[in-house]
Amino acid sequence: MIFFDDGYTQYVYHKNIRLVCGESPNVCDDVHENIREFVKVYLHNYPERPMVKFNKKQIVRTELNNLWCSAKVKNLDASLVQLKFLDVKVEHTEWMYRGSNRLGPIYNQLRNNNQDKRVRGTVLTDVNKLLNRPYIEIENLTGNEKSVNIDNSDNAEDNAQKLLKNNGVIKSIEIPANCPKPLPYKHHECSHFCMLWVHYDYSQTKYMNVLSIPLHYGFIRSVFTDKKLKLKKVIYTTPCGRNIDNENEMYNYLKLTSYGNNQMTMDLFNFDWLVNPLSTFSVPEVFIRNKDLSYEMEFKSISVFNSLNDLVPDHMKYITKRITNPNVNLNVDSKFLCGCDCIDNCEDKNKCSCWQLTNEGPKNYPAIFKDHDNIGYSFKRLHKQVITGIFECNTSCKCKKTCLNRVVQEPLKTSLQLFLTEKKGWGVRTLADIPKGSFVCTYLGVVRTEKDADNDFSLNWGEYLADLDFLETVEDIKDGYESYVVQSEDESEDSTSSSDDEEFNPSWATKSKMSMFESRMSLRKNLQNTNTKIDGKHELSKLNTQQKDVSKNTSLLRYLDRDCGIYTLDAKVSGNIGRYFNHSCDPNIFIQNVFIDTHDLRFPWVSYFALSNIPAGTELSWDYNYMIGSVKNKRLMCHCESKNCKGRLL
């Protein structure tokens, strides 16, 4: 691939390249001034390159002749993309370098890098994929060999070696012989008497894996192979002898057999045969430094494990509810909440006013959320992120505490352990299998204004800060949503392609290992654009100095606490287990904004959910989504060891 001195990019065979003169000591001096800075940065970062990830038929805003136009992806060829410009009078198609700042995502990223702010990750790590937008990835031309080598061995063998490395083994729980067993089935109408005799009491399940609880109270879980479908399926045998093989039937059974306040809930059951309720990760007691990090403030104890040295975590005041600074006006009075009148466990989403609050947000984005009926929780599990937020039932609702729309507000149910890793500091792993979509825990801290957090140097240089940027995030999606939609000219092609390419920059910073001064994004020079080819001629663009791409829309956030900016969760002094999750380029948990004690959109609960089935003993991690190279002269290596590891965080 050749970058011509006028900015045009093209593939050229080696045999066609000729040396016509000697190069200057500084290669950047050989190119036109409009792209000199671009080439300089490119060579400095090589072999790491920010590249826009495209799919065919996607729409991306692209500069053409000093104007932003909508362009459609026609073809992809390694580092180049062929774009057809849609809103121009004369038909124009052009091959362009995927790292060119004539592309909207790259240009927006550069513009954001010029703003003075902390290094921030992204709460919604897969939002651009969800919205079918082009998004930036960091490609490393020398990293392929390393990635292949990491994945040479069998996955099961890899997992076994990692667990052994962490001084733990997978064991199977044995259900005590004195636990109730299912009765022989006799035809009957199920009622509360079917469960009454097992004496179920959730308060007595503190030391049980959550999915093993029913097996201690009269249920049996079996895995069978359907010979016709050649698929494995899970069947629960109930205390009264019935066989149940799906969630709907199990929910109806629990509803019929419920009694008092000790009703079993759907998150205690799982019908995926790959999840083992009896699997547990066992570690040597000698390396347990603290039996409960929360000091019994959580329903489930959180042990602290360290087999590497004698270190224990720095002191932290453990909290189970967020705390507010005196200058933060957070109103949690139930009189200011909308509540539902449901008496059916909120199973009818169309009648529950809290469900409707969750459902209304996505309706403003019809091309993004196509299946409105499946938005939010499904039997207390969240299988797909809801960008516009989830509104749970609250203290003003008339429904029971066991309703289907109460998940994040419930006590900790997942068996977690804090452990010291070799390269990443403290991390969190699960001691039991976690099914996909399960709630893991929340991120708690002190709610502060962004200004206070930045000015307080006692925070040890900005560690453990999480920005509550829900409003900013959602309005970034909305910004320009309608104006960038372009109808496909070809009837045979998909006409519903997402067309807004505004680079998504919700902010979320946690566990930054650098000082607040270092973590400020340094001011950069604007990279000059590559040329635009019109009518076979190369014409240089001066877009970056002549035009600013500024949204005409005013964010709702600008009307709220103008002097405070967005609010921040500070978990340095007071926090919970959520502050210890590490980064991974292949995460297994994701973050969801949830509203419970207030409907003030500035103060969501930051909650973690399982992105996939997670085996016992696995470290829990999410994608910080830091932009590599966003902090000048700062390199932070990534040690996640995942198949798609980028090698660097910063």
Side-chain angles (χ1 to χ4, degrees), residues 343-402:
I343 57 174
D344 63 347
N345 252 6
C346 301
E347 61 184 60
D348 190 342
K349 296 184 178 181
N350 294 321
K351 294 181 180 179
C352 177
S353 57
C354 298
W355 277 113
Q356 288 306 305
L357 286 174
T358 299
N359 291 341
E360 284 301 315
K363 290 181 179 178
N364 295 319
Y365 312 94
I368 300 170
F369 300 94
K370 297 179 181 179
D371 189 0
H372 292 279
D373 294 333
N374 293 322
I375 288 174
Y377 302 135
S378 175
F379 294 116
K380 287 186 171 284
R381 292 195 171 95
L382 182 63
H383 297 289
K384 192 172 183 180
Q385 201 170 46
V386 183
I387 301 175
T388 50
I390 289 178
F391 293 80
E392 289 195 4
C393 291
N394 53 71
T395 54
S396 66
C397 296
K398 295 182 179 179
C399 56
K400 296 181 180 179
K401 300 298 182 183
T402 55

Coordinates of all heavy atoms in Angstrom, one line a residue, residues 343-402:
I343 N -50.5 -7.1 40.1 CA -50.7 -8.2 41.1 C -50.4 -9.6 40.5 O -50.7 -10.6 41.1 CB -52.1 -8.2 41.6 CG1 -53.1 -8.3 40.5 CG2 -52.4 -6.9 42.4 CD1 -54.6 -8.5 40.9
D344 N -49.7 -9.5 39.3 CA -49.4 -10.8 38.6 C -47.9 -11.0 38.4 O -47.5 -11.7 37.5 CB -50.1 -10.8 37.2 CG -49.5 -9.7 36.3 OD1 -48.9 -8.8 36.8 OD2 -49.8 -9.7 35.1
N345 N -47.1 -10.5 39.4 CA -45.7 -10.6 39.3 C -45.1 -9.8 38.1 O -44.0 -10.1 37.7 CB -45.2 -12.1 39.3 CG -44.6 -12.5 40.6 OD1 -44.6 -11.8 41.6 ND2 -44.1 -13.7 40.6
C346 N -45.9 -8.9 37.6 CA -45.4 -8.1 36.5 C -45.1 -8.9 35.3 O -44.2 -8.5 34.5 CB -44.2 -7.2 36.9 SG -44.6 -6.1 38.3
E347 N -45.8 -10.0 35.0 CA -45.5 -10.8 33.9 C -46.1 -10.3 32.6 O -45.6 -10.6 31.5 CB -46.0 -12.3 34.1 CG -47.5 -12.4 34.4 CD -48.0 -13.8 34.7 OE1 -47.5 -14.3 35.7 OE2 -48.8 -14.3 33.9
D348 N -47.1 -9.4 32.7 CA -47.7 -8.8 31.5 C -47.0 -7.5 31.3 O -47.3 -6.5 32.0 CB -49.2 -8.6 31.7 CG -49.9 -8.2 30.4 OD1 -49.2 -7.7 29.5 OD2 -51.1 -8.3 30.3
K349 N -46.1 -7.4 30.4 CA -45.3 -6.2 30.2 C -46.1 -5.1 29.7 O -45.8 -3.9 29.8 CB -44.1 -6.5 29.2 CG -43.1 -7.5 29.7 CD -42.0 -7.7 28.7 CE -40.9 -8.6 29.3 NZ -39.8 -8.8 28.3
N350 N -47.2 -5.4 29.0 CA -48.1 -4.3 28.4 C -48.9 -3.6 29.5 O -49.3 -2.5 29.3 CB -49.0 -4.9 27.4 CG -48.3 -5.4 26.2 OD1 -47.3 -4.8 25.7 ND2 -48.7 -6.5 25.6
K351 N -49.1 -4.2 30.7 CA -49.9 -3.6 31.7 C -49.0 -3.0 32.8 O -49.5 -2.2 33.6 CB -50.8 -4.6 32.3 CG -51.9 -5.1 31.4 CD -52.8 -6.2 32.0 CE -53.9 -6.7 31.1 NZ -54.7 -7.7 31.7
C352 N -47.8 -3.4 32.9 CA -46.9 -2.9 34.0 C -46.3 -1.6 33.5 O -45.6 -1.5 32.5 CB -45.8 -3.9 34.3 SG -44.6 -3.4 35.5
S353 N -46.5 -0.5 34.3 CA -46.0 0.8 34.0 C -44.5 0.9 34.0 O -43.9 1.7 33.3 CB -46.6 1.9 34.9 OG -46.3 1.6 36.3
C354 N -43.8 0.1 34.9 CA -42.4 0.0 34.9 C -41.8 -0.6 33.7 O -40.8 -0.1 33.1 CB -41.9 -0.7 36.2 SG -42.5 0.1 37.7
W355 N -42.4 -1.7 33.2 CA -41.9 -2.3 32.0 C -42.1 -1.3 30.8 O -41.2 -1.3 29.9 CB -42.8 -3.6 31.7 CG -42.3 -4.8 32.3 CD1 -43.0 -5.5 33.3 CD2 -41.1 -5.6 32.1 NE1 -42.3 -6.7 33.7 CE2 -41.2 -6.7 33.0 CE3 -40.0 -5.4 31.3 CZ2 -40.1 -7.6 33.0 CZ3 -39.0 -6.3 31.3 CH2 -39.0 -7.4 32.2
Q356 N -43.2 -0.6 30.9 CA -43.4 0.4 29.8 C -42.4 1.5 29.7 O -42.0 2.0 28.6 CB -44.8 1.0 29.9 CG -45.9 0.0 29.6 CD -45.8 -0.6 28.2 OE1 -45.6 0.1 27.2 NE2 -45.7 -1.9 28.1
L357 N -41.8 1.9 30.9 CA -40.8 2.9 30.9 C -39.5 2.3 30.1 O -38.8 3.0 29.4 CB -40.4 3.2 32.3 CG -41.4 4.1 33.1 CD1 -40.9 4.3 34.5 CD2 -41.5 5.5 32.4
T358 N -39.3 1.0 30.4 CA -38.1 0.4 29.7 C -38.4 0.3 28.2 O -37.5 0.5 27.3 CB -37.9 -1.0 30.3 OG1 -37.5 -0.9 31.6 CG2 -36.8 -1.7 29.5
N359 N -39.7 0.0 27.8 CA -40.0 -0.3 26.4 C -40.1 1.0 25.6 O -39.9 1.0 24.4 CB -41.4 -1.0 26.3 CG -41.2 -2.5 26.8 OD1 -40.1 -3.0 26.9 ND2 -42.4 -3.1 27.2
E360 N -40.4 2.1 26.2 CA -40.7 3.3 25.5 C -39.4 3.9 24.9 O -39.4 4.5 23.8 CB -41.3 4.4 26.4 CG -42.8 4.2 26.7 CD -43.6 4.2 25.4 OE1 -43.4 5.1 24.5 OE2 -44.5 3.3 25.2
G361 N -38.2 3.8 25.6 CA -37.0 4.3 25.1 C -36.6 3.8 23.8 O -36.3 4.6 22.9
P362 N -36.5 2.5 23.6 CA -36.1 2.0 22.3 C -37.0 2.3 21.2 O -36.6 2.2 20.0 CB -36.1 0.4 22.6 CG -35.9 0.3 24.0 CD -36.7 1.5 24.6
K363 N -38.3 2.7 21.4 CA -39.2 3.0 20.3 C -38.8 4.2 19.6 O -39.2 4.5 18.5 CB -40.6 3.2 20.9 CG -41.3 1.9 21.4 CD -42.7 2.1 21.9 CE -43.3 0.7 22.3 NZ -44.7 0.9 22.8
N364 N -37.9 5.0 20.2 CA -37.4 6.2 19.5 C -36.3 5.8 18.4 O -35.8 6.6 17.7 CB -36.8 7.2 20.5 CG -37.9 7.8 21.4 OD1 -39.0 8.1 20.9 ND2 -37.5 7.9 22.7
Y365 N -35.9 4.5 18.5 CA -34.9 4.1 17.6 C -35.3 2.8 16.9 O -34.8 1.7 17.1 CB -33.6 3.8 18.3 CG -33.2 4.9 19.3 CD1 -33.6 4.9 20.6 CD2 -32.5 6.0 18.8 CE1 -33.2 6.0 21.4 CE2 -32.1 7.0 19.6 CZ -32.5 7.0 20.9 OH -32.2 8.1 21.8
P366 N -36.3 2.9 16.0 CA -37.0 1.7 15.5 C -36.0 0.8 14.6 O -36.2 -0.4 14.5 CB -38.1 2.2 14.6 CG -37.7 3.7 14.3 CD -36.9 4.1 15.5
A367 N -35.0 1.4 14.0 CA -34.1 0.6 13.2 C -33.1 -0.1 14.0 O -32.4 -1.0 13.5 CB -33.4 1.5 12.1
I368 N -32.9 0.3 15.3 CA -31.9 -0.3 16.1 C -32.5 -1.4 16.9 O -31.9 -2.5 17.0 CB -31.3 0.8 17.1 CG1 -30.7 1.9 16.2 CG2 -30.3 0.2 18.0 CD1 -30.3 3.1 17.1
F369 N -33.6 -1.2 17.6 CA -34.3 -2.2 18.4 C -35.5 -2.8 17.6 O -36.6 -2.2 17.6 CB -34.8 -1.6 19.7 CG -33.7 -1.1 20.6 CD1 -33.3 0.3 20.5 CD2 -33.0 -1.9 21.4 CE1 -32.3 0.8 21.3 CE2 -31.9 -1.4 22.2 CZ -31.6 0.0 22.1
K370 N -35.2 -3.8 16.9 CA -36.3 -4.4 16.0 C -37.3 -5.2 16.7 O -38.4 -5.4 16.3 CB -35.6 -5.1 14.8 CG -34.7 -4.2 14.0 CD -34.1 -5.0 12.8 CE -33.2 -4.1 12.0 NZ -32.5 -4.9 10.9
D371 N -36.9 -5.9 17.8 CA -37.7 -6.8 18.5 C -38.1 -6.2 19.8 O -37.5 -6.5 20.9 CB -37.0 -8.2 18.7 CG -38.0 -9.2 19.2 OD1 -39.2 -8.9 19.4 OD2 -37.6 -10.4 19.4
H372 N -39.1 -5.4 19.9 CA -39.5 -4.6 21.1 C -40.1 -5.6 22.1 O -40.1 -5.2 23.3 CB -40.5 -3.5 20.8 CG -39.9 -2.4 19.9 ND1 -39.1 -1.4 20.5 CD2 -39.9 -2.2 18.6 CE1 -38.7 -0.6 19.6 NE2 -39.2 -1.0 18.4
D373 N -40.6 -6.7 21.8 CA -41.2 -7.6 22.7 C -40.2 -8.3 23.6 O -40.6 -8.7 24.7 CB -42.1 -8.7 22.0 CG -43.3 -8.1 21.3 OD1 -43.7 -7.0 21.7 OD2 -43.7 -8.6 20.3
N374 N -39.0 -8.4 23.2 CA -38.0 -9.1 24.0 C -36.9 -8.1 24.6 O -35.8 -8.6 24.9 CB -37.3 -10.1 23.1 CG -38.2 -11.2 22.7 OD1 -39.0 -11.7 23.4 ND2 -38.1 -11.7 21.4
I375 N -37.3 -6.9 24.8 CA -36.4 -5.9 25.4 C -36.5 -6.1 26.9 O -37.5 -6.2 27.5 CB -36.7 -4.5 24.9 CG1 -36.3 -4.3 23.5 CG2 -36.0 -3.5 25.8 CD1 -36.7 -3.0 22.9
G376 N -35.3 -6.0 27.5 CA -35.3 -6.1 29.0 C -35.1 -7.5 29.5 O -34.7 -8.4 28.8
Y377 N -35.6 -7.7 30.7 CA -35.4 -9.0 31.4 C -36.3 -10.1 30.8 O -37.4 -9.8 30.5 CB -35.6 -8.9 32.9 CG -34.8 -7.9 33.6 CD1 -35.3 -7.0 34.5 CD2 -33.4 -7.9 33.4 CE1 -34.5 -6.1 35.2 CE2 -32.6 -7.0 34.1 CZ -33.1 -6.1 35.0 OH -32.4 -5.2 35.6
S378 N -35.7 -11.3 30.8 CA -36.5 -12.5 30.4 C -36.3 -13.5 31.5 O -35.2 -14.1 31.6 CB -36.1 -13.1 29.1 OG -36.8 -14.3 28.8
F379 N -37.3 -13.7 32.4 CA -37.2 -14.6 33.5 C -36.0 -14.2 34.4 O -35.2 -15.1 34.7 CB -37.2 -16.0 33.1 CG -38.5 -16.5 32.5 CD1 -38.5 -16.9 31.2 CD2 -39.7 -16.5 33.2 CE1 -39.7 -17.3 30.6 CE2 -40.9 -16.9 32.6 CZ -40.9 -17.3 31.3
K380 N -35.8 -12.9 34.6 CA -34.8 -12.4 35.5 C -33.4 -12.5 34.9 O -32.4 -12.3 35.6 CB -34.8 -13.1 36.9 CG -36.0 -12.6 37.7 CD -35.9 -13.2 39.1 CE -37.0 -12.6 40.0 NZ -36.7 -11.2 40.4
R381 N -33.3 -12.7 33.6 CA -32.0 -12.6 33.0 C -32.0 -11.6 31.8 O -33.1 -11.5 31.2 CB -31.6 -14.0 32.5 CG -31.3 -15.0 33.6 CD -30.5 -16.2 33.2 NE -30.1 -17.0 34.3 CZ -30.8 -18.0 34.9 NH1 -31.9 -18.4 34.3 NH2 -30.4 -18.6 35.9
L382 N -30.9 -11.0 31.5 CA -30.8 -10.0 30.5 C -29.9 -10.5 29.4 O -28.7 -10.6 29.6 CB -30.2 -8.7 31.1 CG -30.1 -7.5 30.1 CD1 -31.5 -7.1 29.6 CD2 -29.4 -6.3 30.8
H383 N -30.5 -10.9 28.3 CA -29.7 -11.5 27.2 C -29.2 -10.5 26.2 O -28.3 -10.8 25.3 CB -30.5 -12.5 26.5 CG -30.9 -13.7 27.4 ND1 -30.0 -14.6 27.8 CD2 -32.1 -14.0 27.9 CE1 -30.6 -15.5 28.6 NE2 -31.9 -15.2 28.7
K384 N -29.7 -9.2 26.2 CA -29.3 -8.2 25.3 C -29.3 -6.9 26.0 O -30.2 -6.5 26.7 CB -30.2 -8.2 24.1 CG -29.6 -7.4 22.9 CD -30.5 -7.6 21.6 CE -29.9 -6.8 20.5 NZ -30.7 -7.0 19.2
Q385 N -28.2 -6.1 25.8 CA -28.1 -4.8 26.4 C -29.2 -3.9 25.9 O -29.5 -3.9 24.7 CB -26.7 -4.3 26.0 CG -26.1 -3.2 26.9 CD -24.7 -3.0 26.5 OE1 -24.4 -2.8 25.3 NE2 -23.8 -2.9 27.4
V386 N -29.7 -3.1 26.8 CA -30.7 -2.0 26.5 C -30.0 -0.7 26.7 O -29.9 -0.2 27.8 CB -31.9 -2.2 27.4 CG1 -33.0 -1.1 27.0 CG2 -32.5 -3.6 27.3
I387 N -29.6 -0.1 25.6 CA -28.9 1.2 25.6 C -29.7 2.3 26.3 O -29.1 3.1 27.0 CB -28.5 1.6 24.2 CG1 -27.7 0.5 23.5 CG2 -27.7 2.9 24.2 CD1 -27.4 0.8 22.1
T388 N -31.0 2.3 26.1 CA -31.8 3.4 26.7 C -32.2 3.1 28.1 O -33.0 3.9 28.7 CB -33.1 3.5 25.8 OG1 -33.7 2.2 25.6 CG2 -32.7 4.1 24.5
G389 N -31.6 2.1 28.8 CA -31.8 1.9 30.2 C -33.0 1.0 30.5 O -33.9 0.8 29.8
I390 N -32.9 0.3 31.7 CA -33.9 -0.5 32.2 C -34.5 0.1 33.5 O -33.7 0.6 34.4 CB -33.4 -1.9 32.6 CG1 -33.0 -2.7 31.3 CG2 -34.3 -2.7 33.4 CD1 -32.5 -4.1 31.5
F391 N -35.8 0.1 33.6 CA -36.5 0.7 34.8 C -37.1 -0.5 35.5 O -38.1 -1.1 35.1 CB -37.6 1.7 34.4 CG -37.0 3.0 33.7 CD1 -36.6 3.0 32.4 CD2 -36.8 4.1 34.5 CE1 -36.0 4.1 31.8 CE2 -36.3 5.3 33.9 CZ -35.9 5.3 32.6
E392 N -36.6 -0.8 36.7 CA -37.1 -1.8 37.5 C -38.3 -1.3 38.4 O -38.4 -0.1 38.6 CB -36.0 -2.4 38.4 CG -34.9 -3.2 37.7 CD -34.1 -4.0 38.6 OE1 -34.4 -4.1 39.8 OE2 -33.1 -4.7 38.1
C393 N -39.0 -2.3 38.9 CA -40.1 -1.9 39.9 C -39.4 -1.4 41.2 O -38.3 -1.7 41.5 CB -40.9 -3.2 40.2 SG -41.9 -3.7 38.8
N394 N -40.1 -0.6 41.9 CA -39.5 0.1 43.0 C -40.4 0.1 44.3 O -41.4 -0.6 44.3 CB -39.2 1.5 42.6 CG -40.4 2.2 42.0 OD1 -41.3 2.6 42.7 ND2 -40.4 2.5 40.7
T395 N -40.1 0.9 45.2 CA -40.8 0.9 46.5 C -42.2 1.4 46.4 O -43.1 1.1 47.3 CB -40.1 1.7 47.6 OG1 -39.9 3.0 47.0 CG2 -38.7 1.1 47.9
S396 N -42.6 2.1 45.4 CA -43.9 2.6 45.2 C -44.8 1.6 44.4 O -46.0 1.9 44.3 CB -43.9 4.0 44.5 OG -43.4 3.8 43.2
C397 N -44.2 0.5 44.0 CA -45.0 -0.5 43.2 C -45.8 -1.4 44.2 O -45.4 -1.7 45.3 CB -44.1 -1.3 42.3 SG -43.2 -0.4 41.1
K398 N -46.9 -1.9 43.7 CA -47.7 -2.8 44.5 C -47.4 -4.3 44.3 O -48.0 -5.2 44.9 CB -49.2 -2.6 44.1 CG -49.7 -1.2 44.5 CD -51.2 -1.0 44.2 CE -51.6 0.4 44.7 NZ -53.1 0.6 44.4
C399 N -46.4 -4.6 43.4 CA -46.1 -6.0 43.1 C -45.2 -6.5 44.2 O -44.7 -5.8 45.0 CB -45.3 -6.1 41.8 SG -43.8 -5.0 41.7
K400 N -45.1 -7.9 44.2 CA -44.3 -8.5 45.2 C -42.8 -8.3 45.0 O -42.3 -7.9 43.9 CB -44.6 -10.0 45.2 CG -46.0 -10.4 45.6 CD -46.2 -11.9 45.5 CE -47.6 -12.3 45.9 NZ -47.8 -13.8 45.9
K401 N -42.0 -8.6 46.0 CA -40.5 -8.5 45.9 C -39.9 -9.5 45.0 O -38.8 -9.4 44.5 CB -39.9 -8.6 47.3 CG -40.4 -7.6 48.3 CD -40.0 -6.2 47.9 CE -40.4 -5.2 48.9 NZ -40.1 -3.8 48.5
T402 N -40.7 -10.5 44.6 CA -40.2 -11.6 43.7 C -40.6 -11.4 42.3 O -40.5 -12.3 41.5 CB -40.7 -13.0 44.2 OG1 -42.2 -12.9 44.3 CG2 -40.2 -13.3 45.6

